[in-house]
Amino acid sequence: MFRRTLLPTLALLLSVAPAAAQVTAIRAGRLVDPEAGTVASDQIILVEDGMITAVGPDVAVPAGAEVVDLSDATVLPGLIDAHVHLCLGVRLDRDGGNYYYTSLMDPSSARAVDGVVNARAVLEAGFTTVRDIGNDGNYACMAVRDAIAAKRIVGPTMINAGRIIAPFGGQFHLQPDKPELGEPEYFYADTRDEMVRAIRQNVHFGAQVIKIVVDDQDYVYSIDDIRFMKEEAARAGRSLAAHAWTARGAHNAAAAGVTSIEHLWAIEDEDLELAKRNGVVAVFTPFPAVEAAVVGGEDEHDQQIDRIRAALRVGIPIAFGSDAVSEIPGHTRGTLALARIDMFTEAGMTPAHLLRAMTAEAARLLGVDDARGAIRPGLAADIIATPGDPLGDAQALKSVTFVMKDGVVVRRPGR
Ligand SMILES: [Zn+2]
């Protein structure tokens, strides 16, 4: 009924509103191609209807175009964070840094509000696409994603996992009287039937990627379990991301050939090799001191640096992940994510490699590389700028002064 009455109205609007779409012309003093690791000077980028239509030194600026002058800046594609939890906010004063308590204290409604706030914050910091990898408040982040897509609120493009699938108990250390307290944060799936049901429910509620927790307890998912879920997810056209904190969990995930392994803090060198052979992408999520002070992990600093170094030696593809979850005065979720740059730099990742991990490599992992992650005609106009030189010093990515998302300017220099 609604659709029938709406259609004639739309037809009328289309017939009386043929005005040419507004064109935006960006003058880029320096334009970075992260995939190639190169910079071009004095480029012009044309944007129309949210899309990049032309890029080059001699592109003519159409009459009436809005000109954005970034001739003093370095322009680059919007950043991508492959591991976020926008609908989770751990508060040291209330939760003791433990997200189990956060999940008990915050209803899904509050989690959705967290998502709205954090979505804007990460976008303003320069992240135009994120993969929201579970702990999402019983699908609260699906509503955030959909509101962003409908342009009702401001935020990055979101690729969502929904509920995390895990062995009984999930990541929480429960007690026998209340084993249900891990749900709905987790989907307990121990039998094959439960795994199928969990994947089907997630897909039904909008999951674009399936996230499993392999370990975090003694009785971990086996290689066969993980392979089974990988194939079931693939049947639904979804990739499989696997949380692995232990050596055994990382080994099983690497052997099963998941799409990405998250964290990898105890992975053996030979399993990094195995993961590379099996086409796995490594999503390290190093915790900088500012956030480790809230959620713990200060004692894991050296181990985290060591494993990133090992991955750089092995040459496995790396996509940037933050895993930022904390509410810290003076920080936003965006500035916390950018604080990870220090850890990757300390581990010896070059600025060019890190930028690739934050753009092209992450776009491929998220399956959005045909639409985002680079600046070229035919892609969405997700464009950022910094006064610095991100190929010379990754710290420049912490001073993003311009953000355009799908052709809409979200942040301008001076604001
Ligand atoms: Zn996480």
Side-chain angles (χ1 to χ4, degrees):
M1 178 66 89
F2 179 69
R3 188 164 291 174
R4 210 172 290 164
T5 56
L6 184 67
L7 279 174
T9 315
L10 276 176
L12 184 68
L13 278 174
L14 289 170
S15 67
V16 297
Q22 174 65 46
V23 176
T24 303
I26 298 172
R27 291 188 184 280
R30 299 171 297 277
L31 178 62
V32 174
D33 177 345
E35 183 88 288
T38 55
V39 187
S41 299
D42 299 322
Q43 301 287 300
I44 292 172
I45 307 164
L46 293 188
V47 174
E48 191 173 342
D49 280 338
M51 306 291 286
I52 298 164
T53 55
V55 183
D58 303 317
V59 171
V61 177
E66 184 205 352
V67 176
V68 176
D69 185 8
L70 299 174
S71 49
D72 286 342
T74 305
V75 176
L76 59 157
L79 305 176
I80 300 175
D81 188 339
H83 191 120
V84 304
H85 303 283
L86 297 187
C87 296
L88 178 71
V90 180
R91 292 191 246 158
L92 184 59
D93 56 347
R94 189 194 64 179
D95 309 333
N98 187 327
Y99 67 106
Y100 172 38
Y101 298 138
T102 312
S103 74
L104 297 180
M105 296 298 288
D106 287 338
S108 300
S109 49
R111 304 281 293 268
V113 173
D114 282 340
V116 171
V117 171
N118 292 330
R120 176 181 274 277
V122 299
L123 180 60
E124 288 181 344
F127 293 96
T128 52
T129 302
V130 300
R131 188 175 62 156
D132 197 275
I133 202 79
N135 296 121
D136 79 338
N138 200 21
Y139 304 107
C141 259
M142 299 292 186
V144 176
R145 174 195 66 192
D146 294 346
I148 292 168
K151 302 197 185 318
R152 298 177 62 216
I153 59 172
V154 175
T157 298
M158 293 179 71
I159 305 295
N160 294 41
R163 258 168 92 174
I164 297 172
I165 300 169
F168 178 86
Q171 288 179 275
F172 297 155
H173 297 280
L174 302 165
Q175 42 99 329
D177 295 340
K178 300 182 180 66
E180 73 282 1
L181 287 183
E183 297 181 303
E185 204 65 23
Y186 296 90
F187 218 129
Y188 303 165
D190 297 295
T191 68
R192 296 294 157 94
D193 285 350
E194 288 165 351
M195 292 170 189
V196 171
R197 182 169 177 77
I199 291 169
R200 280 184 191 274
Q201 178 175 315
N202 268 336
V203 171
H204 182 83
F205 288 134
Q208 297 139 293
V209 54
I210 300 301
K211 162 83 177 293
I212 62 172
V213 163
V214 171
D215 47 21
D216 278 21
Q217 48 184 298
D218 287 343
Y219 191 10
V220 309
Y221 278 144
S222 68
I223 298 170
D224 282 347
D225 287 334
I226 300 168
R227 205 171 270 145
F228 178 81
M229 286 186 277
K230 179 192 167 190
E231 285 165 9
E232 192 62 29
R235 234 168 254 137
R238 268 64 174 178
S239 58
L240 186 70
H243 162 114
W245 207 273
T246 64
R248 190 157 51 119
H251 171 75
N252 290 359
V258 298
T259 315
S260 63
I261 305 181
E262 317 292 309
H263 315 303
L264 313 100
W265 298 133
I267 192 167
E268 306 280 358
D269 285 15
E270 64 212 45
D271 286 324
L272 279 168
E273 301 272 8
L274 176 64
K276 183 188 175 190
R277 282 199 301 279
N278 284 343
V280 177
V281 175
V283 181
F284 290 99
T285 58
F287 268 75
V290 61
E291 194 163 7
V294 176
V295 293
E298 283 166 307
D299 50 341
E300 293 168 21
H301 172 271
D302 293 351
Q303 176 73 9
Q304 295 187 355
I305 296 294
D306 179 70
R307 290 300 82 201
I308 297 173
R309 279 200 183 119
L312 293 172
R313 278 198 304 273
V314 166
I316 187 173
I318 296 173
F320 176 87
S322 71
D323 203 16
V325 293
S326 307
E327 300 298 316
I328 301 176
H331 276 276
T332 71
R333 199 55 63 89
T335 62
L336 281 180
L338 291 170
R340 272 69 185 168
I341 288 171
D342 301 358
M343 299 283 282
F344 285 107
T345 301
E346 184 182 342
M349 205 166 178
T350 65
H353 192 176
L354 180 55
L355 186 55
R356 209 160 63 237
M358 298 176 86
T359 53
E361 200 65 68
R364 274 192 287 278
L365 169 61
L366 272 56
V368 300
D369 51 313
D370 58 346
R372 302 174 193 281
I375 296 180
R376 63 169 185 266
L379 297 197
D382 290 354
I383 298 168
I384 65 172
T386 166
D389 168 20
L391 287 179
D393 182 357
Q395 294 293 321
L397 297 173
K398 293 183 180 174
S399 338
V400 167
T401 51
F402 172 84
V403 178
M404 172 184 272
K405 167 78 173 64
D406 283 318
V408 176
V409 178
V410 178
R411 184 170 174 183
R412 289 177 192 278
R415 289 199 201 167

